[in-house]
Amino acid sequence: MLSSYLTLAAILFCIGLYGALVKRNAVVVLLSIELMLNAVNLNLVAFSKYGAVPALSGQVFTLFTIAVSAAEAAVGIAVLIALFRARGTVNVDEFDEMRR
């Protein structure tokens, strides 16, 4: 049973990693990061339920991760809105002002 959860989490994480590394749209990159965080949450809950020592610590860490990811999404969307207003695009290739 644990292996099926781990397989699903690995698939979700790989899809998220692919989206974060390949896609140019910043909204898609944020969604991919959320997908990777959800894969980690699935692993935490699966290990807390089916691990060697079942405990609630994995579920507590999952709640903490959900709170952090919600804050990350709110800040990320706010930054993207500000960048879109200033530059008129959400393409991550065009956000290179910090390099200069």
Side-chain angles (χ1 to χ4, degrees):
M1 191 69 173
L2 180 63
S3 63
S4 61
Y5 287 112
L6 296 180
T7 303
L8 178 64
I11 291 169
L12 286 175
F13 190 85
C14 289
I15 292 170
L17 184 64
Y18 174 77
L21 293 178
V22 172
K23 297 297 180 180
R24 293 182 180 172
N25 190 336
V27 176
V28 175
V29 171
L30 281 177
L31 289 175
S32 299
I33 291 170
E34 293 294 325
L35 197 60
M36 288 190 288
L37 287 172
N38 283 330
V40 170
N41 288 340
L42 184 62
N43 275 340
L44 287 172
V45 171
F47 278 118
S48 72
K49 176 77 175 171
Y50 300 107
V53 182
L56 289 176
S57 60
Q59 295 172 2
V60 171
F61 281 129
T62 300
L63 288 175
F64 179 73
T65 306
I66 289 171
V68 169
S69 66
E72 174 258 335
V75 171
I77 292 295
V79 168
L80 283 178
I81 289 172
L83 285 172
F84 182 75
R85 286 183 180 171
R87 306 285 305 263
T89 184
V90 290
N91 191 350
V92 293
D93 291 338
E94 297 178 14
F95 300 146
D96 59 352
E97 290 183 5
M98 296 288 285
R99 292 184 195 168
R100 297 177 195 164

